[in-house]
Amino acid sequence: MWKASQEGCGVPGIKFTRPQPRIAGGRPSETGNWPWMVSLSPKPMKGQHICGGTLIASNWILTSAHCLFAIPFLYGENKWLMRLGKLMQSGPLKEETEQDFNVSLIVVHPLYDFRVLMPTEALGKPSDHDLALVKLSGDVTVTPWVRPICLPSPQFKPQPGKLCVITGWGLINDPSEFTYVT
């Protein structure tokens, strides 16, 4: 795993000028702003983006377990393509900055409740332990557009009220635009 002391990990390509008070909305990004972002794309759905993940090591991605198991015909490592270095979901199939990988292993948190596929769905309670690790079929090539995020030390305790950043693909304004990493 990459640690905060390792050079090159966790360096975003933009500076923050003003915080957003919520997740919805966001703002457009540029290629390389969030080089640890991963697009999870099911092969049976012709590579359509379905969820996001975070590159935490040269060949490991952290994502939500429900992303990998919410649709029954997507069970299994051979059903997924992991896309790194991607900005636009509505643009060309493969961007020149992109690195694509097959999946060799999926490890789901042992306490994840598969009956609760989405938070507060089905059983009416939050989906605790909604975590999965995805092992790539090879190591990424670290570039300005693809690099792991830094992981905090096990002793790190987030402080209430501290600014944090959430990234992902989603809507900015127009519901027909599902494009940028924000």
Side-chain angles (χ1 to χ4, degrees):
M1 302 293 174
W2 286 57
K3 295 184 174 67
S5 60
Q6 284 186 269
E7 188 174 328
C9 71
V11 179
I14 64 171
K15 295 192 187 301
F16 304 105
T17 55
R18 65 181 165 89
Q20 298 273 124
R22 59 194 175 121
I23 293 173
R27 62 181 183 204
S29 290
E30 296 176 15
T31 303
N33 283 161
W34 310 108
W36 45 82
M37 282 297 303
V38 181
S39 176
L40 282 66
S41 303
K43 291 178 183 178
M45 296 172 70
K46 297 187 169 118
Q48 176 183 333
H49 171 80
I50 201 167
C51 264
T54 303
L55 183 66
I56 61 169
S58 62
N59 64 346
W60 284 97
I61 294 165
L62 176 66
T63 190
S64 299
H66 76 263
C67 291
L68 302 166
F69 296 98
I71 303 172
F73 70 86
L74 297 179
Y75 293 168
E77 290 86 357
N78 65 337
K79 305 286 182 158
W80 292 94
L81 182 66
M82 302 290 122
R83 297 184 149 168
L84 298 94
K86 189 163 189 67
L87 175 66
M88 304 292 286
Q89 291 297 342
S90 62
L93 289 178
K94 186 167 182 177
E95 298 170 31
E96 61 184 52
T97 57
E98 189 176 322
Q99 297 178 41
D100 293 349
F101 289 89
N102 290 314
V103 172
S104 64
L105 181 66
I106 296 173
V107 181
V108 177
H109 192 288
L111 298 178
Y112 176 64
D113 186 346
F114 287 89
R115 297 173 300 165
V116 186
L117 294 177
M118 299 293 280
T120 67
E121 191 182 285
L123 299 176
K125 66 175 188 169
S127 182
D128 293 335
H129 314 291
D130 186 10
L131 298 171
L133 290 170
V134 176
K135 186 173 186 182
L136 301 177
S137 58
D139 289 347
V140 302
T141 300
V142 175
T143 69
W145 308 280
V146 176
R147 82 177 66 148
I149 196 166
C150 298
L151 294 177
S153 72
Q155 297 77 29
F156 176 75
K157 301 278 188 248
Q159 299 299 311
K162 286 292 254 184
L163 180 66
C164 69
V165 176
I166 306 285
T167 62
W169 285 272
L171 301 177
I172 296 171
N173 291 316
D174 182 348
S176 68
E177 294 179 24
F178 183 68
T179 55
Y180 299 101
V181 177
T182 59

